Amino acid sequence: MSILAWLLLGLIAGFIASKLVNRTGSGVLLDIVLGIVGAFVGGWLFNQFGNSGVSGFNLYSLLVATIGAVVILALYHLIFGRRAL
């Protein structure tokens, strides 16, 4: 995937995850970072369960990245004691 595709996928996945967990967006830059890191975490999690990770700019990759970003946000709120949901 190109850098632009990673940025766009990260922005969309991070925005969806922050809306699901925090009920608000986290800002463009933080949403991009959250989505890109979420893609790596989601890809690793999906590989552990026998599925493929991020495979390109498609709906399945968006799902993987969003799930990874939700996991990251949930762990963040668990560790730092901030209220989520």
Side-chain angles (χ1 to χ4, degrees):
M1 268 192 342
S2 70
I3 292 175
L4 183 62
W6 273 105
L7 292 174
L8 188 58
L9 181 74
L11 176 64
I12 296 168
F15 180 74
I16 292 170
S18 61
K19 282 289 197 178
L20 290 173
V21 176
N22 299 333
R23 305 263 195 243
T24 61
S26 298
V28 174
L29 186 60
L30 191 57
D31 282 344
I32 289 172
V33 172
L34 178 63
I36 291 172
V37 173
F40 286 107
V41 171
W44 181 81
L45 285 172
F46 273 61
N47 281 328
Q48 296 302 311
F49 292 109
N51 293 325
S52 63
V54 174
S55 60
F57 191 75
N58 53 37
L59 193 57
Y60 177 75
S61 296
L62 181 62
L63 176 72
V64 170
T66 302
I67 289 173
V70 166
V71 167
I72 291 170
L73 280 174
L75 287 174
Y76 172 79
H77 289 290
L78 183 69
I79 291 170
F80 292 107
R82 304 240 166 94
R83 190 171 189 294
L85 298 176

